[in-house]
Amino acid sequence: MNEQEQRWIQAARGGDEAAFGELVRLYQKRVYALAVRLCPTPELAEEAAQEAFLAAWQGLPFFRGDAAFSTWLYRLTSNACVDLLRKEQRHQGLSLDDETVTAEAADTAPTPEEAAEHRELRQQIEAGLKTLSPEHRAVLVLRELHQLSYDEIAESLELDLGTVKSRISRGRRQLREFLIKHGNFFDSAASKRTERGL
């Protein structure tokens, strides 16, 4: 956390809306990127991101700084996503199996064939993630896509370290089983290399 960010946090804790606006601008892409991985639609992800920032604004006077601001914000975002998913499931009878894959993969493969394979793998991973429970999906997304450490995930989600490790292990196993069962990309040699790298 740099000095400018600390000044914005201190000012925002005192009710400075402009300072909080700077924090929103600083973190909005990261918060939305997390939300879009945890929510089935961009609309829900946007709502979750807004809820997370609203919770941050309301909770800032009580933010003690024991954890990094970004870690606290990840926790609020994850909580907002899980709350919205549960609300959607209650009111609309949604199943995680019915969710549509909405996140788009960045395409960095050098050849069209590799690019197509990369997209297919990414789509299969996204499809697999949506079959996980919100709790397992949250830890896996924070670990694999946002590169948080086990300790940071435990802090972000207010979980015991052992619970984080257990959920990540179980989530990875369930995701791997889904990919083996549904992934037609395992037919090619290049894809088999990808499978071993999961």
Side-chain angles (χ1 to χ4, degrees), residues 19-62:
F20 185 71
E22 293 298 331
L23 291 171
V24 171
R25 277 187 281 281
L26 181 63
Y27 283 103
Q28 62 187 359
K29 287 183 179 178
R30 279 178 273 183
V31 164
Y32 181 73
L34 173 58
V36 84
R37 296 289 181 178
L38 298 177
C39 293
T41 66
E43 293 78 18
L44 269 183
E46 190 171 329
E47 185 178 348
Q50 290 172 355
E51 289 291 329
F53 281 119
L54 177 61
W57 172 249
Q58 293 171 338
L60 259 177
F62 310 103

Side-chain angles (χ1 to χ4, degrees), residues 37 101-109 112-130 144-145 172 175-198:
R37 296 289 181 178
V101 177
T102 56
E104 295 179 8
D107 185 5
T108 56
E113 184 178 271
E114 289 172 345
E117 187 173 271
H118 183 264
R119 279 194 303 273
E120 187 174 355
L121 173 61
R122 186 57 153 240
Q123 288 167 355
Q124 290 290 339
I125 290 172
E126 294 290 348
L129 282 171
K130 73 177 183 175
E144 304 298 345
L145 302 178
R172 282 176 174 161
L175 181 59
R176 187 174 291 112
E177 288 170 359
F178 175 89
L179 293 175
I180 291 171
K181 182 176 180 181
H182 298 283
N184 59 12
F185 54 85
F186 292 126
D187 294 339
S188 74
S191 293
K192 290 184 188 297
R193 287 196 301 273
T194 303
E195 177 189 353
R196 288 195 295 273
L198 284 177

Side-chain angles (χ1 to χ4, degrees), residues 5-190:
E5 183 180 348
Q6 288 178 324
R7 285 195 290 271
W8 286 334
I9 291 170
Q10 283 303 112
R13 287 179 69 183
D16 186 333
E17 293 184 20
F20 185 71
E22 293 298 331
L23 291 171
V24 171
R25 277 187 281 281
L26 181 63
Y27 283 103
Q28 62 187 359
K29 287 183 179 178
R30 279 178 273 183
V31 164
Y32 181 73
L34 173 58
V36 84
R37 296 289 181 178
L38 298 177
C39 293
T41 66
E43 293 78 18
L44 269 183
E46 190 171 329
E47 185 178 348
Q50 290 172 355
E51 289 291 329
F53 281 119
L54 177 61
W57 172 249
Q58 293 171 338
L60 259 177
F62 310 103
F63 175 66
R64 298 185 309 273
D66 296 338
F69 181 76
S70 59
T71 301
W72 182 60
L73 202 50
Y74 274 135
R75 179 191 313 151
L76 295 176
T77 305
S78 178
N79 289 345
C81 290
V82 170
D83 288 345
L84 282 174
L85 282 172
R86 287 180 177 152
K87 188 192 304 180
E88 285 290 305
Q89 288 170 342
R90 278 198 309 270
H91 290 103
Q92 298 179 14
L94 286 183
S95 162
L96 289 178
D97 294 335
D98 296 331
E99 296 172 13
T100 55
V101 177
T102 56
E104 295 179 8
D107 185 5
T108 56
T111 69
E113 184 178 271
E114 289 172 345
E117 187 173 271
H118 183 264
R119 279 194 303 273
E120 187 174 355
L121 173 61
R122 186 57 153 240
Q123 288 167 355
Q124 290 290 339
I125 290 172
E126 294 290 348
L129 282 171
K130 73 177 183 175
T131 67
L132 304 179
S133 70
E135 292 78 13
H136 288 95
R137 188 189 320 176
V139 294
L140 211 55
V141 165
L142 289 173
R143 176 64 180 164
E144 304 298 345
L145 302 178
H146 292 271
Q147 304 297 307
L148 266 64
S149 69
Y150 287 97
D151 289 332
E152 289 171 328
I153 295 169
E155 195 173 11
S156 293
L157 301 180
E158 296 182 317
L159 296 171
D160 292 335
L161 188 59
T163 301
V164 169
K165 290 179 178 179
S166 171
R167 287 185 181 178
I168 287 175
S169 176
R170 183 171 297 172
R172 282 176 174 161
R173 185 169 61 251
Q174 291 173 349
L175 181 59
R176 187 174 291 112
E177 288 170 359
F178 175 89
L179 293 175
I180 291 171
K181 182 176 180 181
H182 298 283
N184 59 12
F185 54 85
F186 292 126
D187 294 339
S188 74

